[in-house]
Amino acid sequence: MTVRVGIIGVGIMGADHARKINGSISGAEVSAVADFDAGRASSIAAELRGASVAADGFALIADEGVDAVIVASHDSTHAELVHAALAANKPVLCEKPLAPTAVECRGIIAAQGDRDLITVGFMRRFDPAYAELERAAAVERIGERLVAHCVSRNVQAGPGDSSATITNSAIHELDIMPWLLGSPITEVSWHAGRTSKHSGIRQDPQIMLLRTESDVLITLELFVNARYGYDTRCEIVGEDGVASFAVPAHVIVDSGLRRSIDYPLDWIPRYAEAYRLELQEWVDSIEQGRPSTLADAEAGLRAGLVADALVESMNDGGRKVTVEY
Amino acid sequence: MTVRVGIIGVGIMGADHARKINGSISGAEVSAVADFDAGRASSIAAELRGASVAADGFALIADEGVDAVIVASHDSTHAELVHAALAANKPVLCEKPLAPTAVECRGIIAAQGDRDLITVGFMRRFDPAYAELERAAAVERIGERLVAHCVSRNVQAGPGDSSATITNSAIHELDIMPWLLGSPITEVSWHAGRTSKHSGIRQDPQIMLLRTESDVLITLELFVNARYGYDTRCEIVGEDGVASFAVPAHVIVDSGLRRSIDYPLDWIPRYAEAYRLELQEWVDSIEQGRPSTLADAEAGLRAGLVADALVESMNDGGRKVTVEY
Amino acid sequence: MTVRVGIIGVGIMGADHARKINGSISGAEVSAVADFDAGRASSIAAELRGASVAADGFALIADEGVDAVIVASHDSTHAELVHAALAANKPVLCEKPLAPTAVECRGIIAAQGDRDLITVGFMRRFDPAYAELERAAAVERIGERLVAHCVSRNVQAGPGDSSATITNSAIHELDIMPWLLGSPITEVSWHAGRTSKHSGIRQDPQIMLLRTESDVLITLELFVNARYGYDTRCEIVGEDGVASFAVPAHVIVDSGLRRSIDYPLDWIPRYAEAYRLELQEWVDSIEQGRPSTLADAEAGLRAGLVADALVESMNDGGRKVTVEY
Amino acid sequence: MTVRVGIIGVGIMGADHARKINGSISGAEVSAVADFDAGRASSIAAELRGASVAADGFALIADEGVDAVIVASHDSTHAELVHAALAANKPVLCEKPLAPTAVECRGIIAAQGDRDLITVGFMRRFDPAYAELERAAAVERIGERLVAHCVSRNVQAGPGDSSATITNSAIHELDIMPWLLGSPITEVSWHAGRTSKHSGIRQDPQIMLLRTESDVLITLELFVNARYGYDTRCEIVGEDGVASFAVPAHVIVDSGLRRSIDYPLDWIPRYAEAYRLELQEWVDSIEQGRPSTLADAEAGLRAGLVADALVESMNDGGRKVTVEY
């Protein structure tokens, strides 16, 4: 059986998913695309021989030639499209965020009931480096986990406010760290100092302190205009040892009195393999009629609640805020 | 169109190809398998729902349900199976070596004529690290290439003679270095000193000096009982800089007064992505009816001729031997 | 001229200074030692041919054969010995802390007046790695400094309370970070989560947030029972780049499926060169009658005030505390 | 007792020794200098308060105010100055080479008789990285040593012939590798391919194969116009593991899509500590009237004999040449 996938939103992320499904995924093909920019939809459909163009996301979801749906359109459209997929009883992979507010996330979860239809695109769970870090940072290997340090740096970001960088960028750490540590985040505080001149109106960098239910304290630096390269760092400190990311690099170059490795410009090369493995697992789970190991709707809600608490701390002088689930 | 692949030989390598084709490759499925061990063939066929078991390699090649053939059986069977695939006019991906002698390779090339049917499994050409090394070691970046240093180390190898390690293990460097440097190897010499007590009857390690037509001198250490880990190293020295492999590692562990990364036990994790990309390109080229970027039969012949010259040097006191193409 | 140095306290630190002065420093020799353990003093004096044993620290300071004094005795004795050296008008290098309380530090500073006699043993200012980090993290190279991350880990520490680890261990960061960043620390907060089972009664690890007057936010993890090795890390994040410590290692060992480097057991090998360079500069400045580049008494006071503020935050639920100079 | 050192030749190397003796060495001072450039001698003497200027090297050796002599003048002068020091019965540290020919080396050794007066400036024996490599590459840790790989690269070198680079640059490896491996070099061959356009008339890079009496095979790349940085690499491959140099770096900089460390321009920063420790041991051994652990005259002869064999191989088509001691 080939899973026929419809993709709503074929911007950078949706188009990348489309090409992966048709070029690198076993057992799936893109059967339909939709985009508010009709020309972009047609262009991608032409590239993917055999895909039709739907009038809009709802038409795509209703299409009988679509078995499963990817929502990669603007954040503001996610909730109603996911509701439509639920109504059509079709599996849906929704890029984060599942919905802009916790209330809406909870509405989606209620509508899903006991079905396993919704997955959220927290692709880091499929990144080979995070997978290896999870194994290396197991309690059996480094002892009880005590502290973690995360750094998330982008080369540049357009102007915007600080809360948006939390809900869009830091959200990945807010999902992956509880996943890595096996414990939800229960308390947060937000801190900042001097802001980079490259960063427009927002606070940048930001420092966040997160505490898990298991009492692990996490420091998180988010810096969306770090200039030097796209960089995700993570270090888990345990009672008997420490596990951390190596800097990903295939090749070293010696020249001009320097020994150097290259940083990527953005997240796409860094997480290409994670996206591929995530899509393959999603397709396999649909084909085999079993729950996937992707993040579920509850995970999407939890990350959103932590982000909300961080924004509350930011707006209240860095006060410690408890996360209520 | 789905390319229906038949696999002859489902030992470690063939079974790995089979699982990749059915689990990670777009546009292909395994339709038949054959193996001299009928039980092993049945077991793999059962795992790959939908694959039949052929009586032998020749029956598999003749099967109308097979569009393309992978030869992963014992080295001694390669030549006649490739001839059979040519006779059936089906694309064939043959694990190295194409044939045990240059005479037989030349016979295969003659039988192929001007068709593009034969590809040889030099998967390193698809390894992301080699691909990046090729770009980093381009003349535009490090200047004219002058010297290269290669190290190829395995954890352990059963007893055997030194010439077999050249034709089985060093053969990968003998293909990839001309590919990287854009120039064939024209002169070789073989050297050895003390042999490891772990290495049975063969000389181990061996040091080879290779010279390309472009006058790049290459040192190659082959050590098949290096114990500490599976390790491929490569460094290209140019007039203006040097490009080399970083040690591949996702994660660093600090414990017990050590900071360490892990080595793999064998080549399978090191080259998993290379095999996947090689298979995807092979399937895509078949589907699209175009030549692939895999190594062709001539590449298989050339690497074999260099190996023969090294064995000649080994048997003649380390004398310099010219490679005749 | 040879500077004749008297050393008060010849435990690990004082004995190390003594051996360095007699074995690795130009222009100085140890002329006298004193220790509350008379046997230890005699033993070191015998090892250092030519050094006499003084009855106690005050007798040593009064000795006409002593030009300059090192105070490496118990912390509780520092203040009165430094006062005695000031009274004798002799240069004194006092191991940190200068005095247990800010009030006593201020008394010492007042007694010194406009003389340049007191230096404090913040040897990291002479560590070649910190010196190179200071150059690499200059504003001209990485832009305005925005954030810094420090990690200070010891293998193990005896039982004790958390405030003692701040005043004894974290104190080095409290001196070096303002030195590196060219701005004093003006606000602190203290945080902790789960404590290691290896850590006796104290909170361990501890996380501290420090803010400089220039609004750089510093995270500091102090973990005195980290087990895996002695490790000092420091990273300075600027608007245009980041400078950080490389892991210090001369040699890599590949064995047992691991590639590894060694961590030291304690600070002595890590900072051996820093101690040597500090002592040489101290001796040179005395010989040449000029102020040294060692930390002065005011630096000792400032670091102590930041430590006091951290202890206050610790005792008050992690509240932000302003440092008053 | 203070050892009064006379230095003959105060070019880069001799002046560096002079400053170290007066600024960083315990128990010694420079009492006299000599140089064929009288102005340079006066200038250094003025910098070293208290040093006199001798009319020439022989006058310096004869000076009663000189206890021990460093010969850092032109290579062609070494032999006769060492003879003069022997005649005066004064310890002499001679920069390599001890003498331009083996015959002259043997004459010096004969003149020395059973005295321990001559030491040769193979400072790498005191380099902390080589010292740690020696320990890490011990038979007990990595098993019997089988192969070694050395790389010696300089940023640039003036025009010259290839044999001079062997006797001046490669000579350090020709001394240190037998020291590391505990076995003399008994057979060599010389190889080269394409030469860098930056390299004037010489072959550059050169590849040498060296075999020790213990049957360890050593590859050595010497590249004196490598442009990218001054770089010494060494890797020892044993039956159970591998020990190699880490790249020496204190600090990493992330900027401009690169993560990089700096290479030095020349050997001086790389071996500064080796020179200091070598001089301290030389001074200590003189003061204590015992043999030093510096390289002795026989070591100077042995390295020269290996260099001669390499030049013979170079002049004879890369033939294997046996080293006769």
Side-chain angles (χ1 to χ4, degrees), chain D residues 92-216:
Chain D
V92 60
L93 167 52
C94 182
E95 283 305 311
K96 46 89 192 163
L98 184 55
T101 69
V103 168
E104 289 166 280
C105 281
R106 289 196 171 102
I108 288 168
I109 291 170
Q112 177 177 227
D114 58 2
R115 296 174 293 173
D116 276 312
L117 293 174
I118 305 172
T119 53
V120 181
F122 286 130
M123 78 293 179
R124 292 194 187 182
R125 295 177 176 208
F126 292 86
D127 176 55
Y130 271 110
E132 193 174 324
L133 184 61
E134 197 213 7
R135 289 191 296 273
V139 173
E140 310 83 76
R141 297 195 52 189
I142 64 165
E144 284 298 330
R145 282 82 59 100
L146 305 172
V147 159
H149 300 292
C150 303
V151 165
S152 179
R153 297 186 187 135
N154 292 54
V155 172
Q156 62 183 113
D161 65 26
S162 303
S163 61
T165 58
I166 294 172
T167 51
N168 281 337
S169 284
I171 195 85
H172 283 293
E173 265 79 13
L174 304 185
D175 174 67
I176 201 73
M177 294 310 294
W179 176 85
L180 259 177
L181 295 167
S183 182
I185 294 165
T186 54
E187 185 194 85
V188 303
S189 65
W190 181 96
H191 310 265
R194 186 178 187 114
T195 279
S196 169
K197 68 180 177 206
H198 303 302
S199 287
I201 59 168
R202 64 165 63 82
Q203 278 287 157
D204 191 36
Q206 307 168 48
I207 302 287
M208 305 169 215
L209 283 185
L210 315 172
R211 187 185 302 270
T212 65
E213 195 173 64
S214 57
D215 211 15
V216 174

Side-chain angles (χ1 to χ4, degrees), chain A residues 152-158 169 196 198-199 204 223-231 263-267, chain C residues 239-240, chain D residues 255-258:
Chain A
S152 179
R153 299 188 187 132
N154 292 54
V155 172
Q156 61 183 115
S169 284
S196 170
H198 303 302
S199 288
D204 191 35
F223 189 8
V224 298
N225 284 281
R227 317 298 282 188
Y228 74 80
Y230 181 84
D231 199 4
Y263 279 108
L265 248 173
D266 61 29
W267 78 97
Chain C
E239 286 180 330
D240 300 309
Chain D
S255 72
L257 299 179
R258 295 261 159 88

Side-chain angles (χ1 to χ4, degrees), chain B residues 144 147 149 153 192-194 196-198 205 211 215 221 227-228 233 235 237 239-240 242 317 320, chain D residues 144 147 149 153 191-194 196-198 205 211 215 221 227-228 233 235 237 239-240 242 317 320:
Chain B
E144 285 298 331
V147 158
H149 300 293
R153 297 187 188 134
R194 187 178 187 113
S196 170
K197 69 180 178 206
H198 304 302
R211 187 186 302 270
D215 210 16
E221 181 206 310
R227 315 298 282 188
Y228 74 81
R233 301 185 188 178
E235 177 183 25
V237 183
E239 286 179 330
D240 300 309
V242 171
K320 290 179 190 168
Chain D
E144 284 298 330
V147 159
H149 300 292
R153 297 186 187 135
H191 310 265
R194 186 178 187 114
S196 169
K197 68 180 177 206
H198 303 302
R211 187 185 302 270
D215 211 15
E221 181 207 309
R227 316 297 283 186
Y228 73 80
R233 301 186 188 178
E235 177 183 24
V237 183
E239 286 179 330
D240 300 309
V242 172
K320 289 178 191 167

